[in-house]
Amino acid sequence: MNKELSSVKALTFDVFGTVVDWRSSVIKELNELGEVKGISADWDLFADKWRGGYAPSMDKVRKGELPWKSIDQLHRMVLDRLLNEFDISDLSEQEKVHLNKAWHRLAPWPDSVEGLTKLKHKFTIATLSNGNISLLTNMAKHSGLPWDVVLSSELARHYKTDKEVYLTALSLLDLEPSELMMCAAHKDDLLAAKALGLKTAYISRPFEFGPDKPNDATDDMPFDIIADDINDLAEKLGA
Amino acid sequence: MNKELSSVKALTFDVFGTVVDWRSSVIKELNELGEVKGISADWDLFADKWRGGYAPSMDKVRKGELPWKSIDQLHRMVLDRLLNEFDISDLSEQEKVHLNKAWHRLAPWPDSVEGLTKLKHKFTIATLSNGNISLLTNMAKHSGLPWDVVLSSELARHYKTDKEVYLTALSLLDLEPSELMMCAAHKDDLLAAKALGLKTAYISRPFEFGPDKPNDATDDMPFDIIADDINDLAEKLGA
């Protein structure tokens, strides 16, 4: 292990895309609902648009055009718009609530539980996601993710990549920046953490956006670790 | 199980005294330190005064005489005062920091891990302690407490029994009051939760304050469950 990483005591993980495969999970739930309700639609496109609506919704909150909203609330706003756009009108309120919670039931990538379990022996492992606390807690129970502590942008009332999110995690974990490593499949998340002095690990998830859309990996990434998956991260950290 | 309790989805636990035996753990660490450093003192009394200094310190923050402080910080304030009072002057800063973190290393009561593990199969189980997040996280790792999510007064910037603490837990877990049960060995904590509509379980810990000082149990306690310990709570909740 890189000697400069010997200071690391805790790891915070981005969740959507890094630990769980949101796209396949959401498409599967949409297909199942379509089957039950007799609705056909391009569910792959629906899932991509659902995820795609999330960053612009956060920006509206950032700009003050909307009051603070949890990711559950943002997901529901985008869902209501998409149901209209896809001309799907025969879902009950209960069905919409259940569908919106598909984001609480995302399946881990095949290496996630094993890799996190290894890392947990050596480090404190935490979420640091834009997902709200209840979403992350339900997901951990659903998918067996062995977090020591569930941290969320919700606790800062800011979304990543706002610096308040990382600073809140440092404060709650009572750590210096060099003692915390941010782990994510997204460069912008890691660059924001690195700017505050956190250590960083890029976890490659080439299929996060499906088979045809590449992830954001490049050859010149300035992170402490570049890992193929979470098992590889554990190996590179000697866990 | 009582039918009125079928709404309960999550349990929040007081920790000091309810889940862990702070008194024996702290006395043990004080004795060990005394041995190593060649200091004799009435360590039982020291531990009781350390714990006893905590409520008055919280009150100073409540009244605005002190800015917000984590429990680690309050414990340290009381520790420094007691070291002076007990005329103990030969501890290094590193030794004081380590001693203050005795509160991160409290041992569970014999039933706690087993009972919580049973309850976790049926409910979301969370801390709801005045202990700060890092303290509770370190304690869970140290003692194998299987929390789904670590919640703390720190997230509300209020201490129990201020209502903001319970309301913050409800908001973060996204639950209605009747869906959450507060579990504690202290009546004041449960009465505050009950006043907000939460369900309540009293867990008897007759030796929290040592063999000679009774706990606060009375015959007329208005709580949904009175349990002998956490295994008994699990049984009474059908978990």
Side-chain angles (χ1 to χ4, degrees), chain A residues 45-46 49 78-88:
Chain A
L45 181 66
F46 194 107
K49 286 197 164 198
V78 181
L79 174 62
D80 287 341
R81 183 162 51 70
L82 287 178
L83 289 173
N84 197 40
E85 187 182 321
F86 279 69
D87 212 16
I88 297 169

Side-chain angles (χ1 to χ4, degrees), chain A residues 96-133:
Chain A
K96 289 180 205 172
V97 166
H98 182 78
L99 177 56
N100 201 50
K101 288 198 171 169
W103 298 92
H104 294 216
R105 296 184 295 266
L106 305 177
W109 295 106
D111 52 281
S112 294
V113 173
E114 189 185 357
L116 290 173
T117 302
K118 287 181 205 161
L119 288 164
K120 184 172 174 156
H121 292 299
K122 184 164 176 181
F123 303 99
T124 293
I125 58 167
T127 57
L128 190 59
S129 163
N130 283 334
N132 38 288
I133 293 281

Side-chain angles (χ1 to χ4, degrees), chain B residues 16-128:
Chain B
F16 299 125
T18 299
V19 177
V20 295
D21 175 5
W22 60 265
R23 190 172 187 273
S24 304
S25 304
V26 170
I27 290 171
K28 183 167 169 279
E29 293 230 12
L30 288 166
N31 271 299
E32 285 166 1
L33 183 69
E35 194 97 7
V36 169
K37 300 289 291 183
I39 308 167
S40 8
D42 184 343
W43 296 124
D44 291 21
L45 182 66
F46 193 107
D48 288 338
K49 285 197 164 195
W50 202 357
R51 181 67 178 164
Y54 147 86
S57 318
M58 288 194 295
D59 279 339
K60 281 189 192 163
V61 176
R62 279 199 188 95
K63 287 178 200 154
E65 292 168 22
L66 286 176
W68 170 260
K69 294 210 180 294
S70 72
I71 295 304
D72 274 341
Q73 291 170 316
L74 296 181
H75 279 150
R76 180 59 193 262
M77 277 172 46
V78 182
L79 174 61
D80 286 340
R81 185 161 50 71
L82 287 177
L83 289 174
N84 198 39
E85 188 181 321
F86 280 68
D87 211 16
I88 298 169
S89 57
D90 59 343
L91 295 187
S92 67
E93 175 57 23
Q94 205 184 341
E95 285 166 334
K96 289 180 204 172
V97 167
H98 183 77
L99 178 56
N100 201 51
K101 288 198 172 169
W103 298 93
H104 293 216
R105 297 184 293 266
L106 304 177
W109 296 106
D111 52 281
S112 294
V113 173
E114 188 184 356
L116 290 173
T117 303
K118 287 180 203 161
L119 287 164
K120 184 171 174 156
H121 293 300
K122 185 165 175 180
F123 302 98
T124 294
I125 57 168
T127 57
L128 190 59

